[in-house]
Amino acid sequence: MKIMIFNSLYQQNAVGGAEVSVRILSEALKLQGADVVVVSLIEPHKPAKISEINGIKIYFLPLQNSYWPFAKIQPGMAAKSSWHLRDIYNWRYRKFLLDILATEKPDVVHTNNLVGFSVYIWRLCNQLNIPIVHTLRDYYLLCYRSTCFHNNRNCAKLCSSCYLASRPKRFFSKYVNSVVGISDFILTKHLQYGYFSQAKKTVIANSVELPANYKARSYGNGKLRLGFMGRLTSEKGVEVLLQACHDVDNIELIVAGVGDATYVDYLRSKYNELSCRFVGVMEPAKFYSEIDLLVTPSLWGEPFGRVIIEANGYGVPVLGAKRGGIPELIVNGKNGYLFTSREELRKLIFAFAQHELDYTAMSKAARAMSEKYAAAKIAEQYMELYSEI
């Protein structure tokens, strides 16, 4: 079976967890015996190219729009508005896609994040009678920011601009044969707005590469080492964690990730009295070896939270905000705890720091629970789905 996977970004230009998940899935599908081809984007005006990464053939197509939306420096409002208008239905990929589809002849097209591609892919594949699976990894179909988060709060409903931009996307979602939510939360949110009326609906979680050299963990009488890993942006809630650490003794905090320099400088300055290290980008294996607990204090409706299962794979329990898809990954007292406020988080940190909770048992349970997200098991679920459609 030949599977053609579309995602806005791939390994060499990845910026977030979605790209990691798509890469892991692509390689796991290949190990399952599928013939996998990936189509991704590069900056405008660069020539299209074909690469091979870890045995996967990758088509990199030049973005058919005015600027690269993943750059650190972005243009003004007028240019952004024009960009998003074109991105609603970008037919300018037609020749590229027809050539690739004719060459590769996929049995199934599997779309993921479509920023830059647009839902035009669905219409074209439907015209060519190629079955389509779409995995919901963000809120691109609902929100032009892809977050449904604005002015430091989750959007209770679609604003007028998002509503207008989303209507064509909702219309073309009828061409998708099967829609997958990486959490029940993100799937339900899209179905509430009338998306994917003709599609088979299912939930398949993201996968994780489990470390082979896992050993049971414990911590003694030293300081409790807390960790945060992710984008250093307000919606990720890192400041909630920093505030919760005030007046809690016997703890250290490691913050891994990058973000806007002004915001990071603000955090460093305001919370400089805490025992906290900002380490920037850090390899997961090294990061998880240096912490006892991971904290995911997200303020926005996190579609999944792959750092949770990643941490669990290393035997690291997680304290997670009760928002978005996070509650689907944490069982209180097993692989971590959920919290609904900064004060609840502070009490949990204090309880672990004072050795009031059985850390060793929780660490073992975390590792055991992570195994259901192993790459091979998730790939098997997708292979079954491809066969069905």
Side-chain angles (χ1 to χ4, degrees):
M1 181 182 293
K2 177 170 279 191
I3 311 300
M4 182 173 287
I5 294 177
F6 284 82
N7 197 60
S8 305
L9 300 173
Y10 200 67
Q11 184 169 339
Q12 68 184 48
N13 55 10
V15 297
E19 292 77 61
V20 175
S21 296
V22 171
R23 191 265 304 167
I24 292 174
L25 176 61
S26 299
E27 294 174 6
L29 289 171
K30 184 176 177 62
L31 291 175
Q32 294 279 337
D35 187 357
V36 180
V37 178
V38 173
V39 185
S40 190
L41 296 173
I42 51 177
E43 291 89 338
H45 313 305
K46 283 190 174 183
K49 65 178 182 178
I50 301 175
S51 300
E52 185 175 301
I53 302 175
N54 297 337
I56 305 291
K57 185 178 183 180
I58 321 288
Y59 286 87
F60 286 102
L61 305 183
L63 175 70
Q64 301 298 295
N65 213 325
S66 54
Y67 65 87
W68 187 240
F70 309 105
K72 290 183 179 180
I73 300 175
Q74 295 290 298
M77 186 60 67
K80 285 185 177 181
S81 297
S82 175
W83 194 99
H84 286 292
L85 185 63
R86 176 178 287 194
D87 193 52
I88 293 173
Y89 187 75
N90 198 338
W91 51 266
R92 295 160 185 84
Y93 291 100
R94 181 176 177 83
K95 186 179 186 309
F96 285 113
L97 297 180
L98 285 174
D99 288 346
I100 293 172
L101 291 167
T103 299
E104 298 295 342
K105 297 179 175 59
D107 297 298
V108 175
V109 161
H110 180 176
T111 56
N112 295 267
N113 284 358
L114 289 175
V115 174
F117 277 122
S118 86
V119 297
Y120 171 72
I121 294 173
W122 296 342
R123 175 60 171 158
L124 182 62
C125 289
N126 176 261
Q127 290 174 333
L128 298 173
N129 201 31
I130 302 172
I132 306 162
V133 171
H134 180 70
T135 296
L136 295 164
R137 300 187 182 277
D138 65 10
Y139 302 107
Y140 164 77
L141 299 177
L142 298 172
C143 170
Y144 70 88
R145 297 182 184 87
S146 299
T147 61
C148 287
F149 186 89
H150 188 51
N151 291 332
N152 288 320
R153 62 181 179 83
N154 290 292
C155 301
K157 62 180 181 179
L158 299 186
C159 63
S160 57
S161 57
C162 286
Y163 176 77
L164 290 172
S166 69
R167 288 187 70 182
K169 298 175 183 178
R170 181 178 62 196
F171 174 81
F172 287 108
S173 74
K174 69 182 181 181
Y175 295 123
V176 172
N177 300 90
S178 184
V179 60
V180 177
I182 56 174
S183 64
D184 183 68
F185 177 86
I186 194 171
L187 178 59
T188 300
K189 191 173 184 71
H190 283 79
L191 297 183
Q192 286 172 342
Y193 284 99
Y195 282 77
F196 306 105
S197 58
Q198 306 300 314
K200 171 184 170 65
K201 289 94 172 168
T202 190
V203 174
I204 301 178
N206 284 333
S207 57
V208 65
E209 294 173 313
L210 297 173
N213 57 348
Y214 164 76
K215 292 182 180 179
R217 301 166 60 102
S218 62
Y219 76 94
N221 296 321
K223 290 185 176 181
L224 175 68
R225 303 170 303 169
L226 300 169
F228 171 93
M229 177 177 271
R231 295 190 312 274
L232 299 186
T233 52
S234 60
E235 72 270 15
K236 285 291 188 177
V238 63
E239 194 165 10
V240 173
L241 171 58
L242 292 169
Q243 292 168 349
C245 289
H246 269 297
D247 302 323
V248 181
D249 296 327
N250 210 35
I251 62 172
E252 294 178 344
L253 179 59
I254 299 175
V255 175
V258 295
D260 178 75
T262 302
Y263 183 64
V264 176
D265 289 343
Y266 155 76
L267 294 175
R268 288 177 182 271
S269 174
K270 184 172 181 179
Y271 301 98
N272 63 343
E273 78 280 4
L274 295 179
S275 179
C276 177
R277 287 190 289 137
F278 289 83
V279 297
V281 177
M282 194 173 188
E283 284 296 318
K286 180 172 174 54
F287 173 73
Y288 293 119
S289 70
E290 295 188 10
I291 66 171
D292 302 306
L293 281 176
L294 180 77
V295 184
T296 55
S298 297
L299 298 176
W300 75 306
E302 196 87 49
F304 184 75
R306 77 173 340 272
V307 292
I308 295 172
I309 56 173
E310 218 175 50
N312 283 177
Y314 286 87
V316 176
V318 181
L319 306 181
K322 197 173 183 179
R323 292 188 182 88
I326 292 175
E328 298 174 43
L329 304 176
I330 297 175
V331 178
N332 278 330
K334 294 291 186 180
N335 62 330
Y337 284 93
L338 295 166
F339 60 88
T340 57
S341 67
R342 183 180 62 196
E343 184 56 31
E344 281 188 18
L345 173 58
R346 183 186 176 280
K347 289 178 179 178
L348 286 167
I349 292 172
F350 181 83
F352 275 101
Q354 297 301 311
H355 301 272
E356 296 174 5
L357 301 169
D358 190 342
Y359 178 87
T360 301
M362 195 171 296
S363 174
K364 291 178 180 177
R367 169 64 187 203
M369 292 179 69
S370 73
E371 291 174 359
K372 72 176 181 179
Y373 304 103
K377 293 182 179 179
I378 300 302
E380 286 175 3
Q381 293 178 51
Y382 271 106
M383 289 295 286
E384 291 177 7
L385 182 60
Y386 298 149
S387 296
E388 286 178 14
I389 70 165

